[in-house]
Amino acid sequence: MIHIDWGSHNQNLPNWEDWLLAAGLNIQMQKGGPHFNLSSMAIDAALQGKGLLLGQHLLIENELKTGQLVKLSEVSLPLGQAYYLAYPERTLDNPNAATFIEWIKQKAKEITP
């Protein structure tokens, strides 16, 4: 299993223990396997066949579509913490910023179930 060490400031992000519990598997988790502190490095390791990846769907969507990565299961975990877009109202005075904000809002609508 490929592990991502999120650091102490991201303890709410899911890990393999969380996934095994959600999948209903009573397996004692081993800490062996590759460890990375960046999702991109963990994804690259999975693409190289180094192990199983607990990955964020949006980050591996293309690899799933092309068959480079294959879903092990339909079990999915929430990230546990929302993302927010915050900006001062004056930001909307900048046409480029306003366009970007609208693009972000549209993308969020596309991925929200």
Side-chain angles (χ1 to χ4, degrees):
M1 293 179 172
I2 297 171
H3 303 273
I4 302 175
D5 298 322
W6 299 109
S8 60
H9 60 284
N10 285 317
Q11 293 298 315
N12 63 327
L13 295 173
N15 58 35
W16 278 109
E17 290 86 358
D18 299 327
W19 188 88
L20 290 167
L21 183 64
L25 299 171
N26 188 15
I27 298 173
Q28 189 69 0
M29 184 65 208
Q30 300 293 320
K31 294 293 182 183
H35 286 254
F36 300 97
N37 60 358
L38 293 173
S39 295
S40 60
M41 294 173 72
I43 293 167
D44 286 342
L47 288 168
Q48 294 172 21
K50 304 290 185 198
L52 300 173
L53 173 70
L54 185 61
Q56 292 170 271
H57 189 268
L58 287 176
L59 298 180
I60 60 171
E61 187 173 26
N62 187 55
E63 289 80 0
L64 291 170
K65 284 181 184 175
T66 61
Q68 293 173 286
L69 294 176
V70 179
K71 273 186 170 185
L72 172 67
S73 164
E74 291 301 318
V75 174
S76 179
L77 299 173
L79 285 179
Q81 195 173 42
Y83 286 91
Y84 296 92
L85 176 62
Y87 52 89
E89 192 171 335
R90 68 180 180 276
T91 303
L92 297 176
D93 294 337
N94 178 327
N96 290 332
T99 300
F100 177 71
I101 289 167
E102 285 307 312
W103 178 80
I104 289 280
K105 288 179 181 179
Q106 182 58 42
K107 289 296 178 186
K109 287 178 185 175
E110 290 174 13
I111 63 171
T112 303

